[in-house]
Amino acid sequence: MSILSELARGPQSVEVVEVGPRDGLQNEATPLSTALKVELVDRLSTAGLPAIEAAAFVSPRWVPQMADGAEVLGAIQRRPGVVYSALVPNERGMQAALQAGVDEVVVFSAASESFARRNINCSIAESIARFEPVARLAQAQGLRLRGSISCSLGCPYEGPVAPAAVVEVVRRMVDLGCHSVDIADTIGVGTPGAVQQVFEAASRVLPLARLAGHFHDTYGQALANVLAALELGVRSFHSSVAGLGGCPFARGATGNLATEDLLYMLHGLGLRTGVDLQAVVDCGEFISAALGRASSSRAARALRAARGG
Ligand code: HMG
Ligand code: MG
């Protein structure tokens, strides 16, 4: 059966989670002003993105680019229905996130011990223990808790990662109370067969409807990986406008799949996102100009050329 007929059998709407303001900007050598970050988030919500990772309440010693998360969340125009989320590594970050009024809290660990150590300075088990008070506070406040698992398709320090290692972390995140979990390919090494394997394995612990694909495009595989996951039934994907980003603790990792490229493919497949592609292209031009470099979205460049720009 062709992939198109497989898609026609599943839900026809796809959730696009915009991670540029967090995953993208955390990696910028030149920090962006708070005002520009606020404008970026507001342009993205105006474009129709239903969920935006807007901040990270992490140690400013580790990631100075995210130090103004409270100011960003305090200044944005909250669009009704949009979920504004933030990364939280521990209880201290959770208190700050609560004060800032996040809609969703993202706890993050890894499928490989070496990456957990480099990124959050603890073992996977220790990270889960740190998330317990975070999860309790989220539950007490009625906030959604999401889990994100780095290096689900390969680790810069350990190489290949077994799906079983990912499943184990999914299980622990579900036990914490996460309503959904992101399978993240931090260094973009995954290929479509491996993506299907890891999602199939993870779906034995958490239904596909509550799993999301977070693909970095380092090896040019991100769109193919989205298609492979769509074919299985995954309907939530992360991307960043203009393909911003990377991870400061994964050398050589490039940005996420560009939101413009993801939308172009999803809309071409007849899937609904509720997002205005042209408005995201304009937003990509705005942020690329602010950062002083070209967008890495192929679709954005092509659409601009077609407009004669
Ligand atoms: P640590 O150094 O082991 O712990 O950091 P610590 O408790 O000794 O804290 C160090 C300093 O940070 C102390 O300050 C703390 O007070 C402070 P000092 O006394 O030295 O002045 N601190 C905090 N400050 C503000 N907010 C906090 C906080 N916690 C401690 N919440 C820690 C451990 C987890 C805090 C640190 O390693 C950290 O913040 N790591 C975050 C790294 C990060 O943000 N990485 C990028 C995001 S993950 C990602 O991009 C992957 C993802 O996109 C999916 C994918 O693609 O893979 C999600
Ligand atoms: Mg990432």
Side-chain angles (χ1 to χ4, degrees), residues 8-303:
R9 284 143 49 109
Q12 298 304 294
S13 290
V14 172
E15 178 192 48
V16 175
V17 177
E18 170 63 45
V19 297
R22 196 281 304 165
D23 205 354
L25 298 184
Q26 75 181 10
N27 210 40
E28 286 302 323
T30 317
L32 208 63
S33 71
T34 305
L36 283 170
K37 290 180 182 175
V38 169
E39 183 169 353
L40 174 64
V41 174
D42 286 344
R43 281 177 179 252
L44 291 164
S45 63
T46 305
L49 282 148
I52 302 175
E53 263 184 29
F57 292 96
V58 298
S59 167
R61 281 180 184 267
W62 283 66
V63 187
Q65 295 92 332
M66 293 286 105
D68 58 351
E71 287 84 352
V72 172
L73 282 163
I76 55 174
Q77 285 176 3
R78 307 269 179 142
R79 257 184 112 77
V82 174
V83 174
Y84 297 93
S85 61
L87 260 60
V88 163
N90 52 22
E91 189 171 0
R92 173 161 173 195
M94 182 60 173
Q95 297 291 0
L98 288 175
Q99 280 244 309
V102 295
D103 300 317
E104 182 186 60
V105 170
V106 185
V107 289
F108 56 108
S109 190
S112 88
E113 290 291 352
S114 309
F115 190 79
R117 180 64 60 191
R118 304 277 178 130
N119 194 35
I120 45 177
N121 203 23
C122 62
S123 68
I124 297 168
E126 283 163 349
S127 74
I128 300 294
R130 280 182 191 171
F131 300 149
E132 277 164 9
V134 173
R136 276 197 295 275
L137 283 165
Q139 199 187 16
Q141 302 289 326
L143 282 184
R144 283 208 313 194
L145 188 69
R146 169 153 66 85
S148 191
I149 307 176
S150 290
C151 296
S152 291
L153 285 132
C155 169
Y157 311 108
E158 294 181 15
V161 166
V166 180
V167 171
E168 185 49 34
V169 186
V170 175
R171 195 188 313 278
R172 291 185 193 192
M173 287 185 159
V174 170
D175 289 347
L176 271 174
C178 289
H179 85 281
S180 62
V181 173
D182 317 323
I183 304 294
D185 186 7
T186 315
I187 54 171
V189 289
T191 47
V195 165
Q196 291 199 337
Q197 268 181 4
V198 73
F199 273 96
E200 234 156 25
S203 71
R204 288 180 219 127
V205 179
L206 191 64
L208 288 168
R210 297 214 272 143
L211 291 168
H214 175 116
F215 302 122
H216 286 253
D217 206 24
T218 319
Y219 287 79
Q221 302 298 299
L223 271 182
N225 290 341
V226 169
L227 196 56
L230 274 171
E231 187 180 28
L232 269 190
V234 179
R235 291 292 184 271
S236 177
F237 297 96
H238 296 191
S239 59
S240 70
V241 61
L244 295 176
C247 178
F249 306 102
R251 193 152 38 97
T254 61
N256 294 80
L257 169 60
T259 305
E260 299 91 319
D261 296 1
L262 176 61
L263 291 173
Y264 185 83
M265 185 182 84
L266 294 175
H267 295 172
L269 285 166
L271 294 164
R272 289 187 299 273
T273 64
V275 186
D276 176 348
L277 170 58
Q278 189 54 54
V280 179
V281 170
D282 294 342
C283 179
E285 285 181 19
F286 152 75
I287 192 64
S288 301
L291 293 168
R293 60 176 149 74
S295 165
S296 54
S297 163
R298 305 271 295 267
R301 289 205 297 269
L303 288 166

